[in-house]
PDB file of all heavy atoms in Angstrom:
ATOM      1  N   VAL A   1       3.041 -11.819  -3.769  1.00 96.00           N
ATOM      2  CA  VAL A   1       3.327 -10.565  -3.184  1.00 96.00           C
ATOM      3  C   VAL A   1       2.830 -10.579  -1.781  1.00 96.00           C
ATOM      4  O   VAL A   1       1.939 -11.339  -1.445  1.00 96.00           O
ATOM      5  CB  VAL A   1       2.748  -9.428  -3.977  1.00 96.00           C
ATOM      6  CG1 VAL A   1       3.306  -9.329  -5.413  1.00 96.00           C
ATOM      7  CG2 VAL A   1       1.199  -9.422  -3.871  1.00 96.00           C
ATOM      8  N   SER A   2       3.380  -9.762  -0.873  1.00 96.00           N
ATOM      9  CA  SER A   2       2.933  -9.472   0.446  1.00 96.00           C
ATOM     10  C   SER A   2       2.634  -8.028   0.638  1.00 96.00           C
ATOM     11  O   SER A   2       3.423  -7.209   0.287  1.00 96.00           O
ATOM     12  CB  SER A   2       3.951 -10.019   1.494  1.00 96.00           C
ATOM     13  OG  SER A   2       4.029 -11.477   1.455  1.00 96.00           O
ATOM     14  N   VAL A   3       1.531  -7.723   1.329  1.00 97.00           N
ATOM     15  CA  VAL A   3       1.050  -6.416   1.520  1.00 97.00           C
ATOM     16  C   VAL A   3       0.542  -6.322   2.961  1.00 97.00           C
ATOM     17  O   VAL A   3      -0.132  -7.165   3.412  1.00 97.00           O
ATOM     18  CB  VAL A   3      -0.074  -5.951   0.548  1.00 97.00           C
ATOM     19  CG1 VAL A   3      -0.557  -4.549   0.852  1.00 97.00           C
ATOM     20  CG2 VAL A   3       0.387  -6.154  -0.880  1.00 97.00           C
ATOM     21  N   GLN A   4       0.918  -5.172   3.607  1.00 97.00           N
ATOM     22  CA  GLN A   4       0.400  -4.934   5.028  1.00 97.00           C
ATOM     23  C   GLN A   4      -0.047  -3.438   5.186  1.00 97.00           C
ATOM     24  O   GLN A   4       0.564  -2.599   4.649  1.00 97.00           O
ATOM     25  CB  GLN A   4       1.535  -5.221   5.996  1.00 97.00           C
ATOM     26  CG  GLN A   4       1.051  -5.075   7.455  1.00 97.00           C
ATOM     27  CD  GLN A   4       2.126  -5.432   8.432  1.00 97.00           C
ATOM     28  OE1 GLN A   4       3.029  -4.629   8.779  1.00 97.00           O
ATOM     29  NE2 GLN A   4       2.159  -6.670   8.868  1.00 97.00           N
ATOM     30  N   MET A   5      -1.119  -3.335   5.854  1.00 96.00           N
ATOM     31  CA  MET A   5      -1.696  -1.990   6.244  1.00 96.00           C
ATOM     32  C   MET A   5      -1.652  -1.939   7.721  1.00 96.00           C
ATOM     33  O   MET A   5      -2.204  -2.807   8.388  1.00 96.00           O
ATOM     34  CB  MET A   5      -3.051  -1.834   5.711  1.00 96.00           C
ATOM     35  CG  MET A   5      -3.745  -0.511   6.165  1.00 96.00           C
ATOM     36  SD  MET A   5      -5.453  -0.291   5.594  1.00 96.00           S
ATOM     37  CE  MET A   5      -5.921   1.132   6.425  1.00 96.00           C
ATOM     38  N   GLU A   6      -1.000  -0.936   8.285  1.00 95.00           N
ATOM     39  CA  GLU A   6      -0.899  -0.804   9.696  1.00 95.00           C
ATOM     40  C   GLU A   6      -1.589   0.588  10.054  1.00 95.00           C
ATOM     41  O   GLU A   6      -1.315   1.605   9.409  1.00 95.00           O
ATOM     42  CB  GLU A   6       0.499  -0.767  10.275  1.00 95.00           C
ATOM     43  CG  GLU A   6       0.524  -0.638  11.814  1.00 95.00           C
ATOM     44  CD  GLU A   6       1.856  -1.042  12.380  1.00 95.00           C
ATOM     45  OE1 GLU A   6       2.849  -1.109  11.669  1.00 95.00           O
ATOM     46  OE2 GLU A   6       1.923  -1.319  13.645  1.00 95.00           O
ATOM     47  N   VAL A   7      -2.511   0.547  10.953  1.00 93.00           N
ATOM     48  CA  VAL A   7      -3.301   1.814  11.308  1.00 93.00           C
ATOM     49  C   VAL A   7      -3.119   2.066  12.736  1.00 93.00           C
ATOM     50  O   VAL A   7      -3.103   1.278  13.668  1.00 93.00           O
ATOM     51  CB  VAL A   7      -4.862   1.474  11.104  1.00 93.00           C
ATOM     52  CG1 VAL A   7      -5.555   2.756  11.241  1.00 93.00           C
ATOM     53  CG2 VAL A   7      -5.086   0.852   9.757  1.00 93.00           C
ATOM     54  N   TRP A   8      -2.937   3.358  13.092  1.00 91.00           N
ATOM     55  CA  TRP A   8      -2.785   3.907  14.452  1.00 91.00           C
ATOM     56  C   TRP A   8      -4.069   4.493  14.898  1.00 91.00           C
ATOM     57  O   TRP A   8      -4.868   4.975  14.061  1.00 91.00           O
ATOM     58  CB  TRP A   8      -1.705   4.930  14.540  1.00 91.00           C
ATOM     59  CG  TRP A   8      -0.294   4.480  14.535  1.00 91.00           C
ATOM     60  CD1 TRP A   8       0.518   4.467  15.663  1.00 91.00           C
ATOM     61  CD2 TRP A   8       0.462   3.902  13.466  1.00 91.00           C
ATOM     62  NE1 TRP A   8       1.722   3.897  15.282  1.00 91.00           N
ATOM     63  CE2 TRP A   8       1.677   3.572  14.005  1.00 91.00           C
ATOM     64  CE3 TRP A   8       0.156   3.633  12.168  1.00 91.00           C
ATOM     65  CZ2 TRP A   8       2.708   3.009  13.153  1.00 91.00           C
ATOM     66  CZ3 TRP A   8       1.118   3.074  11.299  1.00 91.00           C
ATOM     67  CH2 TRP A   8       2.424   2.709  11.857  1.00 91.00           C
ATOM     68  N   PRO A   9      -4.409   4.400  16.157  1.00 90.00           N
ATOM     69  CA  PRO A   9      -5.735   4.937  16.630  1.00 90.00           C
ATOM     70  C   PRO A   9      -5.940   6.485  16.292  1.00 90.00           C
ATOM     71  O   PRO A   9      -7.075   6.897  16.106  1.00 90.00           O
ATOM     72  CB  PRO A   9      -5.673   4.746  18.166  1.00 90.00           C
ATOM     73  CG  PRO A   9      -4.750   3.583  18.349  1.00 90.00           C
ATOM     74  CD  PRO A   9      -3.803   3.715  17.256  1.00 90.00           C
ATOM     75  N   SER A  10      -4.862   7.177  16.072  1.00 88.00           N
ATOM     76  CA  SER A  10      -4.923   8.566  15.750  1.00 88.00           C
ATOM     77  C   SER A  10      -5.358   8.805  14.326  1.00 88.00           C
ATOM     78  O   SER A  10      -5.701   9.938  13.955  1.00 88.00           O
ATOM     79  CB  SER A  10      -3.569   9.223  15.961  1.00 88.00           C
ATOM     80  OG  SER A  10      -2.630   8.746  15.040  1.00 88.00           O
ATOM     81  N   GLY A  11      -5.352   7.792  13.488  1.00 91.00           N
ATOM     82  CA  GLY A  11      -5.779   7.960  12.121  1.00 91.00           C
ATOM     83  C   GLY A  11      -4.557   7.905  11.139  1.00 91.00           C
ATOM     84  O   GLY A  11      -4.732   7.870   9.973  1.00 91.00           O
ATOM     85  N   ARG A  12      -3.385   7.764  11.715  1.00 92.00           N
ATOM     86  CA  ARG A  12      -2.188   7.549  10.858  1.00 92.00           C
ATOM     87  C   ARG A  12      -2.277   6.179  10.267  1.00 92.00           C
ATOM     88  O   ARG A  12      -2.649   5.157  10.986  1.00 92.00           O
ATOM     89  CB  ARG A  12      -1.003   7.776  11.784  1.00 92.00           C
ATOM     90  CG  ARG A  12       0.369   7.377  11.168  1.00 92.00           C
ATOM     91  CD  ARG A  12       1.428   7.582  12.267  1.00 92.00           C
ATOM     92  NE  ARG A  12       2.672   6.955  11.884  1.00 92.00           N
ATOM     93  CZ  ARG A  12       3.771   6.929  12.678  1.00 92.00           C
ATOM     94  NH1 ARG A  12       3.679   7.439  13.865  1.00 92.00           N
ATOM     95  NH2 ARG A  12       4.909   6.324  12.319  1.00 92.00           N
ATOM     96  N   PHE A  13      -1.762   5.938   9.082  1.00 95.00           N
ATOM     97  CA  PHE A  13      -1.722   4.609   8.482  1.00 95.00           C
ATOM     98  C   PHE A  13      -0.601   4.491   7.511  1.00 95.00           C
ATOM     99  O   PHE A  13      -0.127   5.520   6.975  1.00 95.00           O
ATOM    100  CB  PHE A  13      -3.059   4.221   7.833  1.00 95.00           C
ATOM    101  CG  PHE A  13      -3.555   5.202   6.666  1.00 95.00           C
ATOM    102  CD1 PHE A  13      -3.337   4.823   5.361  1.00 95.00           C
ATOM    103  CD2 PHE A  13      -4.170   6.362   6.951  1.00 95.00           C
ATOM    104  CE1 PHE A  13      -3.735   5.633   4.400  1.00 95.00           C
ATOM    105  CE2 PHE A  13      -4.576   7.246   5.963  1.00 95.00           C
ATOM    106  CZ  PHE A  13      -4.401   6.864   4.661  1.00 95.00           C
ATOM    107  N   THR A  14      -0.023   3.307   7.456  1.00 96.00           N
ATOM    108  CA  THR A  14       1.090   2.952   6.612  1.00 96.00           C
ATOM    109  C   THR A  14       0.861   1.701   5.772  1.00 96.00           C
ATOM    110  O   THR A  14       0.313   0.748   6.344  1.00 96.00           O
ATOM    111  CB  THR A  14       2.399   2.811   7.470  1.00 96.00           C
ATOM    112  OG1 THR A  14       2.764   4.038   8.126  1.00 96.00           O
ATOM    113  CG2 THR A  14       3.582   2.357   6.607  1.00 96.00           C
ATOM    114  N   TYR A  15       1.278   1.729   4.523  1.00 97.00           N
ATOM    115  CA  TYR A  15       1.212   0.452   3.726  1.00 97.00           C
ATOM    116  C   TYR A  15       2.605  -0.054   3.496  1.00 97.00           C
ATOM    117  O   TYR A  15       3.569   0.817   3.372  1.00 97.00           O
ATOM    118  CB  TYR A  15       0.731   0.805   2.298  1.00 97.00           C
ATOM    119  CG  TYR A  15      -0.790   1.398   2.289  1.00 97.00           C
ATOM    120  CD1 TYR A  15      -1.180   2.206   1.202  1.00 97.00           C
ATOM    121  CD2 TYR A  15      -1.664   1.202   3.271  1.00 97.00           C
ATOM    122  CE1 TYR A  15      -2.458   2.793   1.182  1.00 97.00           C
ATOM    123  CE2 TYR A  15      -2.928   1.722   3.312  1.00 97.00           C
ATOM    124  CZ  TYR A  15      -3.373   2.509   2.203  1.00 97.00           C
ATOM    125  OH  TYR A  15      -4.625   3.027   2.108  1.00 97.00           O
ATOM    126  N   ARG A  16       2.831  -1.322   3.643  1.00 96.00           N
ATOM    127  CA  ARG A  16       4.042  -1.972   3.374  1.00 96.00           C
ATOM    128  C   ARG A  16       4.007  -3.067   2.365  1.00 96.00           C
ATOM    129  O   ARG A  16       2.989  -3.745   2.220  1.00 96.00           O
ATOM    130  CB  ARG A  16       4.595  -2.514   4.723  1.00 96.00           C
ATOM    131  CG  ARG A  16       4.749  -1.486   5.857  1.00 96.00           C
ATOM    132  CD  ARG A  16       5.386  -2.050   7.092  1.00 96.00           C
ATOM    133  NE  ARG A  16       5.484  -1.067   8.137  1.00 96.00           N
ATOM    134  CZ  ARG A  16       4.713  -0.991   9.139  1.00 96.00           C
ATOM    135  NH1 ARG A  16       3.746  -1.975   9.334  1.00 96.00           N
ATOM    136  NH2 ARG A  16       4.801  -0.134  10.092  1.00 96.00           N
ATOM    137  N   TYR A  17       5.111  -3.248   1.703  1.00 96.00           N
ATOM    138  CA  TYR A  17       5.149  -4.217   0.505  1.00 96.00           C
ATOM    139  C   TYR A  17       6.334  -5.034   0.449  1.00 96.00           C
ATOM    140  O   TYR A  17       7.430  -4.588   0.791  1.00 96.00           O
ATOM    141  CB  TYR A  17       5.068  -3.379  -0.834  1.00 96.00           C
ATOM    142  CG  TYR A  17       3.875  -2.410  -0.945  1.00 96.00           C
ATOM    143  CD1 TYR A  17       3.977  -1.076  -0.474  1.00 96.00           C
ATOM    144  CD2 TYR A  17       2.574  -2.775  -1.310  1.00 96.00           C
ATOM    145  CE1 TYR A  17       2.900  -0.170  -0.513  1.00 96.00           C
ATOM    146  CE2 TYR A  17       1.519  -1.937  -1.330  1.00 96.00           C
ATOM    147  CZ  TYR A  17       1.708  -0.609  -0.951  1.00 96.00           C
ATOM    148  OH  TYR A  17       0.716   0.235  -0.926  1.00 96.00           O
ATOM    149  N   ASP A  18       6.124  -6.315  -0.118  1.00 95.00           N
ATOM    150  CA  ASP A  18       7.210  -7.081  -0.686  1.00 95.00           C
ATOM    151  C   ASP A  18       6.804  -7.497  -2.036  1.00 95.00           C
ATOM    152  O   ASP A  18       6.029  -8.467  -2.258  1.00 95.00           O
ATOM    153  CB  ASP A  18       7.472  -8.317   0.276  1.00 95.00           C
ATOM    154  CG  ASP A  18       8.579  -9.147  -0.367  1.00 95.00           C
ATOM    155  OD1 ASP A  18       9.225  -8.742  -1.314  1.00 95.00           O
ATOM    156  OD2 ASP A  18       8.813 -10.299   0.159  1.00 95.00           O
ATOM    157  N   LEU A  19       7.297  -6.711  -2.988  1.00 95.00           N
ATOM    158  CA  LEU A  19       6.985  -6.962  -4.451  1.00 95.00           C
ATOM    159  C   LEU A  19       8.264  -7.531  -5.221  1.00 95.00           C
ATOM    160  O   LEU A  19       8.387  -7.568  -6.359  1.00 95.00           O
ATOM    161  CB  LEU A  19       6.530  -5.714  -5.098  1.00 95.00           C
ATOM    162  CG  LEU A  19       5.414  -4.954  -4.436  1.00 95.00           C
ATOM    163  CD1 LEU A  19       5.067  -3.672  -5.203  1.00 95.00           C
ATOM    164  CD2 LEU A  19       4.175  -5.797  -4.248  1.00 95.00           C
ATOM    165  N   SER A  20       9.249  -7.966  -4.342  1.00 93.00           N
ATOM    166  CA  SER A  20      10.599  -8.339  -4.899  1.00 93.00           C
ATOM    167  C   SER A  20      10.595  -9.516  -5.833  1.00 93.00           C
ATOM    168  O   SER A  20      11.459  -9.678  -6.643  1.00 93.00           O
ATOM    169  CB  SER A  20      11.519  -8.568  -3.743  1.00 93.00           C
ATOM    170  OG  SER A  20      11.090  -9.677  -2.951  1.00 93.00           O
ATOM    171  N   ARG A  21       9.527 -10.355  -5.765  1.00 91.00           N
ATOM    172  CA  ARG A  21       9.522 -11.545  -6.592  1.00 91.00           C
ATOM    173  C   ARG A  21       8.771 -11.362  -7.956  1.00 91.00           C
ATOM    174  O   ARG A  21       8.677 -12.268  -8.801  1.00 91.00           O
ATOM    175  CB  ARG A  21       8.783 -12.750  -5.860  1.00 91.00           C
ATOM    176  CG  ARG A  21       9.732 -13.259  -4.686  1.00 91.00           C
ATOM    177  CD  ARG A  21       8.941 -14.122  -3.777  1.00 91.00           C
ATOM    178  NE  ARG A  21       7.950 -13.354  -2.928  1.00 91.00           N
ATOM    179  CZ  ARG A  21       7.164 -13.883  -2.084  1.00 91.00           C
ATOM    180  NH1 ARG A  21       7.126 -15.155  -1.873  1.00 91.00           N
ATOM    181  NH2 ARG A  21       6.321 -13.072  -1.364  1.00 91.00           N
ATOM    182  N   LEU A  22       8.330 -10.122  -8.183  1.00 93.00           N
ATOM    183  CA  LEU A  22       7.747  -9.814  -9.501  1.00 93.00           C
ATOM    184  C   LEU A  22       8.811  -9.459 -10.471  1.00 93.00           C
ATOM    185  O   LEU A  22       9.757  -8.783 -10.257  1.00 93.00           O
ATOM    186  CB  LEU A  22       6.762  -8.569  -9.358  1.00 93.00           C
ATOM    187  CG  LEU A  22       5.604  -8.770  -8.360  1.00 93.00           C
ATOM    188  CD1 LEU A  22       4.754  -7.443  -8.321  1.00 93.00           C
ATOM    189  CD2 LEU A  22       4.759  -9.997  -8.676  1.00 93.00           C
ATOM    190  N   ASP A  23       8.662  -9.967 -11.632  1.00 91.00           N
ATOM    191  CA  ASP A  23       9.650  -9.851 -12.762  1.00 91.00           C
ATOM    192  C   ASP A  23       9.287  -8.612 -13.581  1.00 91.00           C
ATOM    193  O   ASP A  23       9.241  -8.715 -14.780  1.00 91.00           O
ATOM    194  CB  ASP A  23       9.785 -11.071 -13.611  1.00 91.00           C
ATOM    195  CG  ASP A  23      10.997 -10.949 -14.541  1.00 91.00           C
ATOM    196  OD1 ASP A  23      11.850 -10.226 -14.296  1.00 91.00           O
ATOM    197  OD2 ASP A  23      10.960 -11.679 -15.635  1.00 91.00           O
ATOM    198  N   VAL A  24       9.049  -7.458 -12.914  1.00 93.00           N
ATOM    199  CA  VAL A  24       8.742  -6.225 -13.616  1.00 93.00           C
ATOM    200  C   VAL A  24       9.361  -5.067 -12.823  1.00 93.00           C
ATOM    201  O   VAL A  24       9.703  -5.203 -11.636  1.00 93.00           O
ATOM    202  CB  VAL A  24       7.185  -6.014 -13.622  1.00 93.00           C
ATOM    203  CG1 VAL A  24       6.471  -7.103 -14.573  1.00 93.00           C
ATOM    204  CG2 VAL A  24       6.548  -5.935 -12.287  1.00 93.00           C
ATOM    205  N   GLU A  25       9.474  -3.921 -13.494  1.00 94.00           N
ATOM    206  CA  GLU A  25      10.003  -2.714 -12.804  1.00 94.00           C
ATOM    207  C   GLU A  25       8.831  -1.862 -12.206  1.00 94.00           C
ATOM    208  O   GLU A  25       9.044  -1.064 -11.270  1.00 94.00           O
ATOM    209  CB  GLU A  25      10.827  -1.884 -13.758  1.00 94.00           C
ATOM    210  CG  GLU A  25      12.096  -2.555 -14.168  1.00 94.00           C
ATOM    211  CD  GLU A  25      13.007  -1.654 -14.950  1.00 94.00           C
ATOM    212  OE1 GLU A  25      12.544  -0.541 -15.341  1.00 94.00           O
ATOM    213  OE2 GLU A  25      14.117  -2.090 -15.368  1.00 94.00           O
ATOM    214  N   GLU A  26       7.703  -2.083 -12.698  1.00 95.00           N
ATOM    215  CA  GLU A  26       6.470  -1.279 -12.335  1.00 95.00           C
ATOM    216  C   GLU A  26       5.238  -2.122 -12.385  1.00 95.00           C
ATOM    217  O   GLU A  26       5.051  -2.848 -13.343  1.00 95.00           O
ATOM    218  CB  GLU A  26       6.306  -0.054 -13.145  1.00 95.00           C
ATOM    219  CG  GLU A  26       5.176   0.960 -12.739  1.00 95.00           C
ATOM    220  CD  GLU A  26       5.202   2.201 -13.542  1.00 95.00           C
ATOM    221  OE1 GLU A  26       5.656   2.110 -14.751  1.00 95.00           O
ATOM    222  OE2 GLU A  26       4.734   3.296 -13.068  1.00 95.00           O
ATOM    223  N   VAL A  27       4.410  -2.004 -11.350  1.00 95.00           N
ATOM    224  CA  VAL A  27       3.148  -2.696 -11.285  1.00 95.00           C
ATOM    225  C   VAL A  27       2.049  -1.647 -11.645  1.00 95.00           C
ATOM    226  O   VAL A  27       1.834  -0.651 -11.076  1.00 95.00           O
ATOM    227  CB  VAL A  27       2.825  -3.224  -9.929  1.00 95.00           C
ATOM    228  CG1 VAL A  27       1.491  -3.994  -9.829  1.00 95.00           C
ATOM    229  CG2 VAL A  27       3.979  -4.115  -9.430  1.00 95.00           C
ATOM    230  N   THR A  28       1.384  -1.952 -12.754  1.00 93.00           N
ATOM    231  CA  THR A  28       0.399  -0.993 -13.354  1.00 93.00           C
ATOM    232  C   THR A  28      -1.051  -1.433 -13.054  1.00 93.00           C
ATOM    233  O   THR A  28      -1.928  -0.592 -13.214  1.00 93.00           O
ATOM    234  CB  THR A  28       0.596  -0.850 -14.844  1.00 93.00           C
ATOM    235  OG1 THR A  28       0.543  -2.135 -15.480  1.00 93.00           O
ATOM    236  CG2 THR A  28       1.951  -0.195 -15.106  1.00 93.00           C
ATOM    237  N   ASN A  29      -1.356  -2.682 -12.902  1.00 87.00           N
ATOM    238  CA  ASN A  29      -2.725  -3.127 -12.658  1.00 87.00           C
ATOM    239  C   ASN A  29      -3.135  -3.174 -11.167  1.00 87.00           C
ATOM    240  O   ASN A  29      -3.491  -4.180 -10.680  1.00 87.00           O
ATOM    241  CB  ASN A  29      -2.851  -4.490 -13.348  1.00 87.00           C
ATOM    242  CG  ASN A  29      -1.864  -5.488 -12.790  1.00 87.00           C
ATOM    243  OD1 ASN A  29      -0.918  -5.087 -12.231  1.00 87.00           O
ATOM    244  ND2 ASN A  29      -2.154  -6.773 -13.029  1.00 87.00           N
ATOM    245  N   VAL A  30      -3.010  -1.953 -10.550  1.00 95.00           N
ATOM    246  CA  VAL A  30      -3.241  -1.950  -9.135  1.00 95.00           C
ATOM    247  C   VAL A  30      -3.820  -0.597  -8.771  1.00 95.00           C
ATOM    248  O   VAL A  30      -3.479   0.455  -9.473  1.00 95.00           O
ATOM    249  CB  VAL A  30      -1.900  -2.230  -8.323  1.00 95.00           C
ATOM    250  CG1 VAL A  30      -0.936  -1.178  -8.758  1.00 95.00           C
ATOM    251  CG2 VAL A  30      -2.200  -2.285  -6.840  1.00 95.00           C
ATOM    252  N   LEU A  31      -4.616  -0.450  -7.748  1.00 96.00           N
ATOM    253  CA  LEU A  31      -5.086   0.783  -7.184  1.00 96.00           C
ATOM    254  C   LEU A  31      -4.543   0.931  -5.711  1.00 96.00           C
ATOM    255  O   LEU A  31      -4.796   0.051  -4.884  1.00 96.00           O
ATOM    256  CB  LEU A  31      -6.579   0.839  -7.169  1.00 96.00           C
ATOM    257  CG  LEU A  31      -7.284   2.103  -6.506  1.00 96.00           C
ATOM    258  CD1 LEU A  31      -6.931   3.447  -7.328  1.00 96.00           C
ATOM    259  CD2 LEU A  31      -8.767   1.949  -6.402  1.00 96.00           C
ATOM    260  N   VAL A  32      -3.804   1.931  -5.523  1.00 97.00           N
ATOM    261  CA  VAL A  32      -3.281   2.273  -4.189  1.00 97.00           C
ATOM    262  C   VAL A  32      -3.632   3.674  -3.748  1.00 97.00           C
ATOM    263  O   VAL A  32      -3.558   4.600  -4.556  1.00 97.00           O
ATOM    264  CB  VAL A  32      -1.644   2.153  -4.270  1.00 97.00           C
ATOM    265  CG1 VAL A  32      -1.082   2.569  -2.907  1.00 97.00           C
ATOM    266  CG2 VAL A  32      -1.268   0.642  -4.618  1.00 97.00           C
ATOM    267  N   GLY A  33      -4.014   3.785  -2.467  1.00 96.00           N
ATOM    268  CA  GLY A  33      -4.377   5.152  -1.967  1.00 96.00           C
ATOM    269  C   GLY A  33      -5.460   5.053  -0.933  1.00 96.00           C
ATOM    270  O   GLY A  33      -5.576   4.005  -0.229  1.00 96.00           O
ATOM    271  N   ALA A  34      -6.205   6.098  -0.770  1.00 95.00           N
ATOM    272  CA  ALA A  34      -7.211   6.116   0.248  1.00 95.00           C
ATOM    273  C   ALA A  34      -8.281   7.275  -0.124  1.00 95.00           C
ATOM    274  O   ALA A  34      -7.889   8.192  -0.925  1.00 95.00           O
ATOM    275  CB  ALA A  34      -6.648   6.425   1.622  1.00 95.00           C
ATOM    276  N   CYS A  35      -9.453   7.184   0.581  1.00 90.00           N
ATOM    277  CA  CYS A  35     -10.422   8.156   0.237  1.00 90.00           C
ATOM    278  C   CYS A  35     -11.198   8.546   1.567  1.00 90.00           C
ATOM    279  O   CYS A  35     -11.536   7.624   2.323  1.00 90.00           O
ATOM    280  CB  CYS A  35     -11.432   7.662  -0.763  1.00 90.00           C
ATOM    281  SG  CYS A  35     -12.875   8.621  -1.122  1.00 90.00           S
ATOM    282  N   LEU A  36     -11.443   9.787   1.783  1.00 84.00           N
ATOM    283  CA  LEU A  36     -12.221  10.283   2.968  1.00 84.00           C
ATOM    284  C   LEU A  36     -13.153  11.487   2.541  1.00 84.00           C
ATOM    285  O   LEU A  36     -12.598  12.381   1.931  1.00 84.00           O
ATOM    286  CB  LEU A  36     -11.288  10.727   4.109  1.00 84.00           C
ATOM    287  CG  LEU A  36     -12.002  11.395   5.289  1.00 84.00           C
ATOM    288  CD1 LEU A  36     -13.002  10.363   5.895  1.00 84.00           C
ATOM    289  CD2 LEU A  36     -10.940  11.779   6.260  1.00 84.00           C
ATOM    290  N   GLY A  37     -14.373  11.339   2.772  1.00 73.00           N
ATOM    291  CA  GLY A  37     -15.336  12.371   2.454  1.00 73.00           C
ATOM    292  C   GLY A  37     -15.407  12.617   0.965  1.00 73.00           C
ATOM    293  O   GLY A  37     -15.647  13.792   0.573  1.00 73.00           O
ATOM    294  N   GLY A  38     -15.224  11.617   0.166  1.00 76.00           N
ATOM    295  CA  GLY A  38     -15.241  11.788  -1.308  1.00 76.00           C
ATOM    296  C   GLY A  38     -14.072  12.423  -1.939  1.00 76.00           C
ATOM    297  O   GLY A  38     -13.980  12.581  -3.125  1.00 76.00           O
ATOM    298  N   LEU A  39     -12.994  12.694  -1.088  1.00 85.00           N
ATOM    299  CA  LEU A  39     -11.756  13.242  -1.600  1.00 85.00           C
ATOM    300  C   LEU A  39     -10.686  12.160  -1.403  1.00 85.00           C
ATOM    301  O   LEU A  39     -10.594  11.520  -0.315  1.00 85.00           O
ATOM    302  CB  LEU A  39     -11.330  14.456  -0.778  1.00 85.00           C
ATOM    303  CG  LEU A  39     -12.366  15.658  -0.956  1.00 85.00           C
ATOM    304  CD1 LEU A  39     -12.067  16.751   0.073  1.00 85.00           C
ATOM    305  CD2 LEU A  39     -12.287  16.217  -2.391  1.00 85.00           C
ATOM    306  N   GLU A  40      -9.937  11.961  -2.435  1.00 89.00           N
ATOM    307  CA  GLU A  40      -8.969  10.770  -2.407  1.00 89.00           C
ATOM    308  C   GLU A  40      -7.612  11.129  -2.858  1.00 89.00           C
ATOM    309  O   GLU A  40      -7.356  12.161  -3.527  1.00 89.00           O
ATOM    310  CB  GLU A  40      -9.574   9.702  -3.253  1.00 89.00           C
ATOM    311  CG  GLU A  40      -9.713  10.021  -4.698  1.00 89.00           C
ATOM    312  CD  GLU A  40     -10.325   8.959  -5.551  1.00 89.00           C
ATOM    313  OE1 GLU A  40     -11.251   8.175  -4.977  1.00 89.00           O
ATOM    314  OE2 GLU A  40     -10.009   8.822  -6.718  1.00 89.00           O
TER     315      GLU A  40
END
């Protein structure tokens, strides 16, 4: 798999993925997201 995180100086951020080679419809063993100040 390939994963990219792009961050802007303003605090904007984007995650990008290439999961096309996985032989599944859903990936379940993964944590995706973000946390700030204890809130996520």
Side-chain angles (χ1 to χ4, degrees):
V1 300
S2 292
V3 179
Q4 183 177 84
M5 175 181 174
E6 185 163 17
V7 189
W8 281 254
S10 65
R12 168 184 170 185
F13 58 100
T14 293
Y15 302 154
R16 302 189 181 100
Y17 305 93
D18 177 8
L19 310 176
S20 61
R21 289 166 289 180
L22 301 180
D23 189 22
V24 296
E25 293 185 357
E26 186 176 25
V27 182
T28 56
N29 52 344
V30 61
L31 176 64
V32 174
C35 174
L36 173 60
L39 299 167
E40 62 185 31

